[in-house]
Amino acid sequence: MTAAARDEAGARVFCAAALTALGGEIARRVGVKAERDAPLARFTTMRVGGPADLFATVHNVHELRAIVRFARSRAIPLTLLGRGSDVVIADAGIRGLVVQNRAEGSQLDGERYVAESGMPMARAATETQKAGMTGLEFGLAIPGTVGGAVWANAGAHDADIAAILETADVLLGDGSEARLSVAELDLRYRDSRLKHRPDEVALAATFRVAAVEPDAIAARLDEIRRWRRDHQPLGIPSAGSTFRNPPGDSAGRLIESAGLKGRRIGGASVSEKHANFIVNDGRGSAADIRALVDEVAAIVERETGVRLEPEVVFLGDWSGSESAAPSAASSEAPDASTAGPAAARADS
């Protein structure tokens, strides 16, 4: 679809009558309710963001698969949200259809743990601990979902998804499904094939786990909880780590060394507790946050020569913003509000 064709399709989709009709069709064909002009801030950990033209929540893989295929068949811009971490949604909101992924089914099959893509990573960690299976403890420190974690090859506490993932079930751009290996997913530091193929959607993942005494795993989870409490600004709206760590260094160290802890624009500030977190005092806007991200990156580059790359993804309609164009589109967390039928995935 050409840009002109997308613009023409978008004009049709965004009129009130068309949105109402599409909402009714989603209810009939997919079986979920679609809400018009739904405010999105409540669905993100940063607590900012304007409305979605249409918003729906899916609760299982069947609904997720169906609504993605529906959006593609109508060339509707589609954004998928998990738990809303690792993203900043524009104050103007997101055009098209936003789908919250609450597909949270899971099962343990011997030394394999299978989870649908909307399963919170923290819950995966506690579920496997209660079953006496080790491997997913680091998920307790990841605020997003299984789908977002696969998309980003998320990691924490010296572990990452690539080390324990066996396969991921993916809805491909042509509507077929495939079970992809780690090699096929091309998992790298905070990267995967899904980030570069916005029409591919993770449906579920299978992880390798191993039997260990549940008390030993519980002790490790307690250790992670204590570390997070001592080192991260918990209980304050944020998107998680703001920047990716550059090779051989720490983004937080570079930001702190540049004297930027406490740096503020509007209601957004660099955390005094952890310099790689930008927090919202409750009065911040998406524009405040984005401006501060840009300013921090510019100052660190000027002071150190290192260009920090954002880990957070800027979603939605930033056309009226003074900031540069949004981050590159990806399958689990891009700005694809103008990407026609492609699925933008967020969350992480």
Side-chain angles (χ1 to χ4, degrees), residues 182-198:
V182 169
E184 290 170 315
L185 288 163
D186 192 20
L187 298 184
R188 291 163 284 155
Y189 174 69
R190 303 299 179 263
D191 199 7
S192 77
R193 134 184 185 156
L194 300 179
K195 279 197 173 188
H196 308 282
R197 301 191 186 191

Side-chain angles (χ1 to χ4, degrees), residues 27-339:
R28 291 192 302 273
R29 293 181 177 273
V30 182
V32 299
K33 179 182 178 181
E35 178 185 354
R36 278 185 52 192
D37 298 322
L40 295 173
R42 56 187 163 144
F43 300 115
T44 75
T45 59
M46 186 59 98
R47 297 292 186 263
V48 296
D53 289 337
L54 280 175
F55 177 85
T57 300
V58 297
H59 297 92
N60 55 61
V61 165
H62 303 294
E63 292 176 351
L64 174 60
R65 183 189 294 116
I67 205 165
V68 171
R69 287 174 171 162
F70 174 86
R72 288 175 178 173
S73 71
R74 302 297 189 278
I76 303 168
L78 172 65
T79 302
L80 299 182
L81 280 178
R83 291 289 162 169
S85 62
D86 215 28
V87 301
V88 178
I89 294 176
D91 296 314
I94 300 178
R95 307 287 68 80
L97 172 63
V98 175
V99 175
Q100 184 185 43
N101 182 8
R102 288 296 184 99
E104 300 176 0
S106 66
Q107 65 178 26
L108 194 60
D109 181 12
E111 293 193 336
R112 289 178 174 84
Y113 176 73
V114 183
E116 293 179 344
S117 57
M119 165 69 76
M121 283 294 293
R123 190 186 306 168
T126 56
E127 276 193 357
T128 49
Q129 179 270 325
K130 289 174 183 176
M133 306 303 288
T134 187
L136 274 164
E137 291 88 334
F138 73 95
L140 190 68
I142 296 173
T145 61
V146 163
V150 172
W151 172 84
N153 186 24
H157 298 276
D158 300 318
D160 63 12
I161 291 294
I164 60 165
L165 182 68
E166 188 167 280
T167 59
D169 295 340
V170 176
L171 180 63
L172 303 177
D174 63 4
S176 65
E177 295 180 33
R179 181 160 290 174
L180 303 181
S181 67
V182 169
E184 290 170 315
L185 288 163
D186 192 20
L187 298 184
R188 291 163 284 155
Y189 174 69
R190 303 299 179 263
D191 199 7
S192 77
R193 134 184 185 156
L194 300 179
K195 279 197 173 188
H196 308 282
R197 301 191 186 191
D199 57 350
E200 296 188 348
V201 176
L203 300 176
T206 299
F207 300 100
R208 295 183 303 275
V209 290
V212 173
E213 273 295 319
D215 288 348
I217 308 171
R220 174 59 175 155
L221 294 181
D222 286 342
E223 180 185 336
I224 291 172
R225 289 188 186 99
R226 285 194 298 272
W227 189 93
R228 294 184 69 218
R229 185 177 61 245
D230 293 343
H231 294 90
Q232 295 180 353
L234 303 182
I236 306 171
S238 81
S241 295
T242 303
F243 297 98
R244 298 170 58 158
N245 287 325
D249 210 335
S250 157
R253 189 198 70 78
L254 290 168
I255 295 165
E256 184 172 358
S257 69
L260 293 174
K261 274 190 171 182
R263 188 84 166 200
R264 173 179 292 273
I265 292 180
S269 62
V270 176
S271 170
E272 294 279 7
K273 198 167 192 178
H274 192 311
N276 199 23
F277 280 67
I278 286 178
V279 296
N280 174 13
D281 68 4
R283 298 169 296 170
S285 66
D288 292 341
I289 294 157
R290 184 151 194 179
L292 185 56
V293 169
D294 291 345
E295 182 173 88
V296 167
I299 292 172
V300 168
E301 184 173 27
R302 186 181 70 221
E303 296 293 326
T304 69
V306 176
R307 180 66 183 178
L308 293 177
E309 297 295 332
E311 186 168 317
V312 297
V313 178
F314 298 97
L315 288 172
D317 179 7
W318 294 86
S319 58
S321 170
E322 294 182 359
S323 295
S327 302
S330 58
S331 165
E332 181 76 18
D335 178 326
S337 59
T338 58

